[in-house]
Amino acid sequence: MKIGRILIATLAITVFEAVVGAVTCGGVFNWVYQLEPVNVWKPMEAPGVTYYIGAIILNFIFVLIYAALRKGIPGKNKLIKGLVFGLCVWAVGMLPGMFATYMFMTVAPTVIIYWTIMGLIQSPLHGLIASSIYGE
């Protein structure tokens, strides 16, 4: 495994998440967090160091799994493989989590739909970043 490329891809995905999160959740779509019930949210400021440490660890695992499975992922080239990998992660990771959130938590359905759509967009892009940097 190319550990240097895994680390670079990890950092690239983390920076991508931070920028997209600031623009979407912190900006354009901030209104979804004003929907009732609002008492489920912690007071929000900029994410702290603990958030970024967690994001780096999770993104490292994402890229590590991509690197381990890349030869078995369907697709004619590395970019398609990255997109397919991201879609698979979304399907088996995010969808069950959003279903459970809807069924067992008091969160506005609009927020769950927003998170699900954002995941459908971001997860394949994470895979694309991982595949672009990690390579064949």
Side-chain angles (χ1 to χ4, degrees):
M1 280 198 190
K2 307 168 192 171
I3 194 69
R5 289 182 183 238
I6 290 172
L7 293 173
I8 292 169
T10 297
L11 293 176
I13 291 170
T14 304
V15 168
F16 172 76
E17 281 181 350
V19 170
V20 170
V23 171
T24 58
C25 294
V28 177
F29 297 107
N30 191 353
W31 60 268
V32 300
Y33 301 106
Q34 307 306 316
L35 300 173
E36 289 296 334
V38 295
N39 62 335
V40 297
W41 311 120
K42 293 181 179 181
M44 271 297 186
E45 289 88 35
V49 173
T50 305
Y51 170 80
Y52 288 109
I53 290 170
I56 287 170
I57 291 168
L58 293 172
N59 290 329
F60 178 80
I61 293 168
F62 180 90
V63 178
L64 190 65
I65 300 297
Y66 170 79
L69 298 178
R70 77 186 188 289
K71 291 181 182 176
I73 299 169
K76 294 182 179 185
N77 60 50
K78 67 182 181 181
L79 301 179
I80 299 299
K81 287 178 180 263
L83 290 170
V84 168
F85 177 71
L87 281 172
C88 289
V89 169
W90 175 80
V92 300
M94 181 159 237
L95 282 181
M98 290 298 97
F99 177 71
T101 300
Y102 176 74
M103 294 303 296
F104 302 112
M105 297 177 73
T106 307
V107 177
T110 304
V111 174
I112 296 168
I113 292 167
Y114 166 66
W115 286 345
T116 304
I117 293 169
M118 284 300 293
L120 178 60
I121 295 166
Q122 285 186 299
S123 292
L125 292 175
H126 291 174
L128 188 65
I129 293 167
S131 67
S132 297
I133 294 171
Y134 189 81
E136 298 289 342

